[in-house]
Amino acid sequence: RIVQELTIAMQENDPVYQEFLVGGGPSVSPVDTAISHIELLIDAIDEFDNAVPELLSTARVIFCTLSTAGASILKQTRKIDDVLIDEAACATECEIAIPFHLRPDRCLAVGDPLQLPPTIMSPHAAELGLSRSMHARLMNDCGHEFVMLDYQYRMKPQISSFPNAQFYEGKILDGKNVISKDYSSRCSLRPEIPYSFINVPEGKEFQDSGGSYANKEECDVVVDLVEIISTLSGKADLDEDRLRIITFYQGQVNHLKRVLAKKGFHGVMVATVDSSQGCEADVIIVSFVRSSDKKGVYHATGFLADDRRINVALTRARHQLVCVGNKGTLGLEGSEVLRNLVLDAEQRGCIV
């Protein structure tokens, strides 16, 4: 199959093949040329495979995933002094244990147990404690010594204010860079208002064919915001470093992508909260989706019931955070964190 594909490509582009067709050219068939290319590729792969052990044995720093740390080839490394695990709070204890076969002298685990935990699909496994990371267990159950990083260098103070008070007891300080008047971005709605909550009382949640939730009215508001941002930023490319739309349901992700594509915004990043941990952007728009005029219906179920997801969603923005939701539903029927979010926005005059 590879030979056939290479032959077809050469039929279209290779001058050697063209000369071969008309005669008078080199007596080298396209199949022979294809085989020669494959042999060169195989030789290159063999050379790389032979070089890997030497590279690992002389490397001072090795970057890999936890799973890759268990690969047999890593046993060819020299003595490992330290293992540094990033996002340790969202890894299972089994995953954390993988690099220990390298027998490091020290292990430094970096993570935030107040953000997303390990993803466990089995409810039974979660009940047995697999959803609790070793990071959280050492900190909270074992009283292991830890250091809290108490400066944040991402969010403008108006954005960090609520999550700092709600999740971190006000212990997080703002870095000098985020309080500087020079900390700005071309991609923004209103730079003088870094945080706002757009109330969409007419929004109605619905379930798509896959059972996930979406909200057409919130989608329309989000798309309008994208169009405004695009205009104000001089039609600049709204890549994922500039703009990211976050929502709690895959149904809303799919709905937003379809509508944005129809408007010509194919490159705008739309993602769930779970896939946004560790990410950041100049502007973050959060669509909460859940909205109903039925009183007494508790909407803090599923994804909105986990305060850690709310924390992740609210802490991705550098310069502007725009929350889009039904303040009546979230403020009256939501979780305590959601009720506090709406109350805080009202008290600060951030409701639009």
Side-chain angles (χ1 to χ4, degrees), residues 158-174:
Q158 297 92 329
I159 300 173
S160 66
S161 173
F162 176 76
N164 184 21
Q166 179 67 46
F167 303 108
Y168 301 101
E169 301 176 343
K171 295 179 180 179
I172 305 298
L173 304 175
D174 296 314

Side-chain angles (χ1 to χ4, degrees), residues 16 35 61 135 183-184 215-216 250 287 320 348:
V16 173
I35 292 174
V61 180
H135 192 275
Y183 190 61
S184 61
N215 187 313
K216 178 183 179 301
Q250 187 61 46
S287 173
Q320 190 142 46
R348 293 165 59 188

Side-chain angles (χ1 to χ4, degrees), residues 234-302:
K235 302 294 183 180
D237 182 24
L238 299 179
D239 59 29
E240 61 184 277
D241 187 61
R242 294 188 175 189
L243 172 64
R244 189 180 190 92
I245 301 170
I246 297 176
T247 185
F248 297 84
Y249 300 93
Q250 187 61 46
Q252 185 75 335
V253 170
N254 298 336
H255 192 60
L256 280 163
K257 284 183 175 180
R258 285 194 297 268
V259 178
L260 285 168
K262 290 179 181 178
K263 296 282 187 175
F265 295 106
H266 299 279
V268 173
M269 172 58 69
V270 185
T272 61
V273 176
D274 290 51
S275 62
S276 297
Q277 176 150 309
C279 300
E280 59 183 74
D282 287 350
V283 179
I284 294 289
I285 302 174
V286 179
S287 173
F288 284 92
V289 179
R290 302 305 295 270
S291 177
S292 174
D293 55 5
K294 296 179 180 179
K295 301 300 180 183
V297 178
Y298 189 59
H299 282 75
T301 57

Side-chain angles (χ1 to χ4, degrees), residues 20 98 106 109 154 163 197 203 224 229 233 246 249 265 290:
F20 178 78
I98 292 173
R106 293 171 295 272
R154 174 188 298 162
F197 186 109
D224 287 344
I229 292 171
S233 59
I246 297 176
Y249 300 93
F265 295 106
R290 302 305 295 270

Side-chain angles (χ1 to χ4, degrees), residues 1 21 51 76 101 115 144 246 308:
R1 184 178 61 83
L21 281 180
Q76 302 178 46
H101 79 94
Q115 296 200 358
H144 197 281
I246 297 176
R308 292 168 295 189

Side-chain angles (χ1 to χ4, degrees), residues 101-175:
H101 79 94
L102 300 172
R103 299 183 180 278
D105 294 330
R106 293 171 295 272
C107 175
L108 175 61
V110 181
D112 186 350
L114 296 179
Q115 296 200 358
L116 288 178
T119 300
I120 303 297
M121 304 306 294
S122 167
H124 182 59
E127 289 176 3
L128 294 176
L130 192 60
S131 62
R132 189 172 180 80
S133 68
M134 184 182 75
H135 192 275
R137 195 184 302 277
L138 287 174
M139 286 179 57
N140 302 326
D141 295 350
C142 303
H144 197 281
E145 182 180 359
F146 66 91
V147 176
M148 180 177 179
L149 303 180
D150 54 5
Y151 272 89
Q152 69 87 16
Y153 302 95
R154 174 188 298 162
M155 299 169 280
K156 284 193 171 184
Q158 297 92 329
I159 300 173
S160 66
S161 173
F162 176 76
N164 184 21
Q166 179 67 46
F167 303 108
Y168 301 101
E169 301 176 343
K171 295 179 180 179
I172 305 298
L173 304 175
D174 296 314

Side-chain angles (χ1 to χ4, degrees), residues 69-113:
S72 59
I73 194 170
L74 282 180
K75 294 180 180 179
Q76 302 178 46
T77 62
R78 64 182 184 179
K79 176 70 172 65
I80 297 294
D81 298 318
D82 302 281
V83 167
L84 193 156
I85 303 173
D86 191 22
E87 295 288 1
C90 61
T92 66
E93 290 190 84
C94 302
E95 291 172 318
I96 293 289
I98 292 173
F100 290 167
H101 79 94
L102 300 172
R103 299 183 180 278
D105 294 330
R106 293 171 295 272
C107 175
L108 175 61
V110 181
D112 186 350

